[in-house]
Amino acid sequence: MDITSAAFWAALGSIILANVLLSGDNAVVIAMAARALPANQQKKAIFYGSAAAIVMRIVLTLLAVKLLAMPYLKLVGGVALVYIGTSLLLENDDEDDAHGTGHTSLMTAIRTILVADLVMSLDNVLAVAAAAHNNTLLLILGLGISIPLIIFGSTMLLKVMDRFPIIITLGAALLGYLAGEMALTDPGVVSLIGPQPEIVPEIAGAIGAVFVVALGHFLKQRAHRAAQAKAS
């Protein structure tokens, strides 16, 4: 595809649009992970985490079809999202207890961003790969240009979370929803239980959302009781 052709630029625009539209959940995780950091490290986590995630997404997109066909990969990814969602809820609780000093390191936040993006991008990359028409240059340009847009979205969410902490709980619920949905659409699970109506993965997602929030709440209460017992 010629770089001077209208088709090239139309495809490039499609990649950027698809990536931005599909990265809303990623922006939530980036903002949640960065919020647990001291203020002087939040922008670094957002920038480096977003940039590294985009590079990883390029690699994922090139391997997308083969990856998504692997049985139980999405199931494992769903378990990882449950862990990340509850961990982010606990980190937020720690931050509140410490009056904003933060307990998460920069590298820990970046690692959380990368793992979450890896898991949540398994489905998203198919749309980006289709828009690229097997053109690696288009893929790299499109995802690269998306970096500042994702960074902007994450930065805005970070500011909103400071004013409305309930968004953190909603973000954790989103991860739980994605986990439940991924588990029921895993090729290995489908081969065991057979194809299901579209509403079944949605119900599994709703159950996953409730489970993550409830588990996070339970673990926070247990940690509070343990801290109170130790103090007394």
Side-chain angles (χ1 to χ4, degrees):
M1 191 182 297
D2 188 357
I3 192 172
T4 61
S5 67
F8 179 91
W9 294 103
L12 179 60
S14 297
I15 293 172
I16 295 172
L17 179 61
N19 194 51
V20 170
L21 291 176
L22 295 171
S23 294
D25 47 6
N26 302 75
V28 171
V29 174
I30 291 170
M32 289 175 66
R35 188 177 183 273
L37 289 169
N40 64 332
Q41 292 186 354
Q42 289 178 347
K43 290 184 179 180
K44 291 180 180 179
I46 290 174
F47 176 79
Y48 291 122
S50 300
I54 288 294
V55 172
M56 181 179 64
R57 193 175 294 191
I58 291 173
V59 177
L60 275 178
T61 305
L62 296 174
L63 302 173
V65 176
K66 292 183 179 179
L67 282 174
L68 288 175
M70 293 177 61
Y72 305 114
L73 178 63
K74 294 173 72 174
L75 181 60
V76 172
V79 174
L81 285 185
V82 169
Y83 174 78
I84 291 171
T86 53
S87 296
L88 290 173
L89 281 176
L90 291 173
E91 286 172 4
N92 176 64
D93 191 53
D94 288 341
E95 182 190 8
D96 291 340
D97 290 342
H99 303 290
T101 57
H103 291 277
T104 302
S105 70
L106 178 61
M107 290 308 299
T108 300
I110 292 175
R111 185 174 66 245
T112 299
I113 292 169
L114 284 175
V115 173
D117 192 84
L118 169 66
V119 174
M120 292 187 296
S121 296
L122 289 176
D123 287 332
N124 297 359
V125 293
L126 282 180
V128 177
H133 303 291
N134 296 320
N135 189 311
T136 304
L137 175 61
L138 264 175
L139 174 65
I140 294 174
L141 282 176
L143 292 178
I145 294 171
S146 303
I147 292 177
L149 299 176
I150 295 174
I151 291 175
F152 175 77
S154 303
T155 304
M156 291 299 295
L157 273 173
L158 189 62
K159 294 178 180 179
V160 174
M161 284 178 181
D162 287 335
R163 294 188 61 184
F164 305 101
I166 187 64
I167 294 177
I168 298 171
T169 301
L170 295 177
L174 171 63
L175 295 183
Y177 180 88
L178 293 172
E181 193 176 47
M182 287 177 65
L184 263 291
T185 56
D186 182 278
V189 174
V190 172
S191 67
L192 290 175
I193 65 175
Q196 300 294 315
E198 289 186 8
I199 193 171
V200 174
E202 294 177 4
I203 293 173
I207 294 173
V210 173
F211 176 75
V212 167
V213 174
L215 179 60
H217 180 72
F218 169 76
L219 293 176
K220 284 195 289 186
Q221 292 299 319
R222 189 176 70 173
H224 285 163
R225 288 195 295 268
Q228 290 173 353
K230 187 177 180 180
S232 59

